[in-house]
Amino acid sequence: MRDDAALWDLLLGPTDLDLGAVAGSMSSSFAADGSLILVVDHAATALVVGAADPPGGTAEPALRIPLGYGVTGLVAQNGRSVRLDSDSPRNAAHRQLMSLAAGQSVARMCVPARGLSGQVVAVVSVHRGLPHPFAEAELQRAQRLVDVLGLRLHAHQLRQATHGHRSERDRLIAHAISVQEAQRRRVAGDLHDGVTQALVSLSFHLAAAEVSLTGSPEPASSTTEAQLQIASARQLAALAYDETRAAISGLHSLILDDLGLVAALESLTHAVPQLDIEFRAAPDERLAEVPDHCAAVLYRVAQEAINNMVKHAETPRGVLSIRRVGDLVVLEATDDGVGFDVRSVLAGSTSSAPAEHFGLSSMAERCALIGATLRIDSVHGRGSAVIVELPLSADR
Ligand SMILES: Nc1ncnc2c1ncn2[C@@H]1O[C@H](COP(=O)(O)OP(=O)(O)OP(=O)(O)O)[C@@H](O)[C@H]1O
Ligand SMILES: [Mg+2]
């Protein structure tokens, strides 16, 4: 038996798996003319070249063997290794990678590499010139090496997939936080411009009333003056109260907590007297299955869709509806207003100044966080529709 120490070092060593070096080492360990490591692609439909010895240049990306097709594709599909005393693959890129002249045949062995749960993740194909067939003992030795290669390849793929998920999750969270920050800034602005200004004026009028009551030599006129100041102060107190309530309802819905999603959605349609919004909700106790955090998202999306109708649609009418379609909860907010170019608005909101128009992107982020799909349809002159579909599967 040959010494496979170099191969084991490559397969078990602490450094990243170097497939090119493994292919080269397989060739020399089996006194072969060449080796191919063919990896099952992401869609699990075909084998593509992971590494070739000798390197195949442009033939490497050109080779794609559907699972179940030809000798190698069959090994990938049924997971059984094969030895062929004489073989001549038909695929031109495959032949080029094996440096085969026209009509030339070679001895081959094709060995499946399995992942953690036994699925084939790659096939290692080793070949040498006739008449030097591979012995059964060589096939078994190759299988032992390739078993370890399969586990390392699979571990590497899992690490890459985890990395991909993590980046996507980080991106989503970062965007969600920036949207939240923008909302906080807006609330801070509302409180500053509305409530604090009203409170400053309120204390001014109260101070003036106090001066009128205590400092004037003529009691009759000072009382009238004080009454006027107090009336102004009361108006400002009412204004500050309204402003504060408006700012709070922008942050959190008490109706949603107290009466549930359907009542909270209906209350939104009454909160905008300038629009006549029809509310449709089929009586369906299955709507009560919507988890609280998803209900909060549906409520916020409906609220923003109605805000947009008021601000942009230029129509007196709209419709808000919620219904259950199988395992989906479907929320729709539609208007027959001026419409807009959804694609260019969304493209703009991700680039230059997201804080200026963050309503639609905030809807999209909220929906993505709860696994709901968001569709925004709009046609110039015909109106707009915001449609959310929330799957309510058992494993949510
Ligand atoms: N129902 C609608 N009818 C017509 N145009 C709309 C409608 N909804 C959105 N738009 C257009 O899409 C743009 C982006 O909407 P978005 O809600 O993201 O931002 P905004 O409403 O301008 O600002 P924000 O929501 O951040 O206060 C709007 O400026 C408007 O041009
Ligand atoms: Mg908006």
Side-chain angles (χ1 to χ4, degrees), residues 62-249:
L63 181 60
R64 187 183 153 78
I65 304 174
L67 300 193
Y69 181 88
V71 173
T72 329
L74 273 174
V75 171
Q77 191 173 59
N78 63 28
R80 283 195 292 276
S81 56
V82 292
R83 278 186 302 130
L84 299 165
D85 291 350
S86 173
D87 185 35
S88 185
R90 267 179 289 174
N91 184 305
H94 201 172
R95 293 185 69 83
Q96 196 183 335
L97 281 168
M98 295 169 82
S99 314
L100 295 185
Q104 187 185 351
S105 297
V106 282
R108 292 178 71 197
M109 60 177 176
C110 292
V111 186
R114 296 174 185 283
L116 289 168
S117 41
Q119 79 285 21
V120 177
V121 293
V123 173
V124 178
S125 161
V126 187
H127 64 274
R128 65 187 172 214
L130 302 180
H132 301 290
F134 291 95
E136 182 59 30
E138 284 182 297
L139 185 70
Q140 285 175 14
R141 182 159 67 90
Q143 185 68 68
R144 282 194 293 278
L145 291 158
V146 171
D147 281 346
V148 177
L149 174 67
L151 293 176
R152 283 217 58 182
L153 258 180
H154 192 203
H156 177 71
Q157 288 168 352
L158 290 176
R159 253 203 319 275
Q160 279 191 325
T162 315
H163 184 72
H165 288 315
R166 209 177 290 144
S167 324
E168 177 63 6
R169 194 200 58 184
D170 289 351
R171 195 192 65 76
L172 273 176
I173 290 174
H175 200 95
I177 291 170
S178 70
V179 165
Q180 209 174 43
E181 281 306 309
Q183 277 176 323
R184 288 199 176 135
R185 268 199 300 282
R186 177 195 274 185
V187 171
D190 286 354
L191 289 174
H192 175 266
D193 298 344
V195 182
T196 56
Q197 303 303 319
L199 288 175
V200 167
S201 301
L202 184 65
S203 80
F204 165 79
H205 285 290
L206 287 172
E210 193 180 28
V211 169
S212 304
L213 281 176
T214 54
S216 170
E218 295 168 45
S221 77
S222 75
T223 308
T224 317
E225 175 64 13
Q227 278 170 341
L228 283 175
Q229 295 292 357
I230 288 169
S232 296
R234 283 186 51 199
Q235 272 175 9
L236 284 166
L239 180 66
Y241 176 78
D242 289 346
E243 294 273 356
T244 312
R245 275 188 63 91
I248 289 169
S249 78

Side-chain angles (χ1 to χ4, degrees), residues 333-389:
T334 51
D335 66 67
D336 59 355
V338 291
F340 65 107
D341 183 348
V342 179
R343 196 177 299 189
S344 66
V345 163
L346 288 181
S349 71
T350 52
S351 56
S352 53
E356 275 178 34
H357 304 283
F358 71 86
L360 297 182
S361 61
S362 156
M363 282 183 193
E365 290 301 329
R366 289 175 191 276
C367 289
L369 281 174
I370 60 165
T373 56
L374 170 72
R375 221 176 67 220
I376 301 168
D377 293 335
S378 192
V379 179
H380 275 299
R382 303 279 296 277
S384 311
V386 171
I387 303 158
V388 182
E389 292 184 346

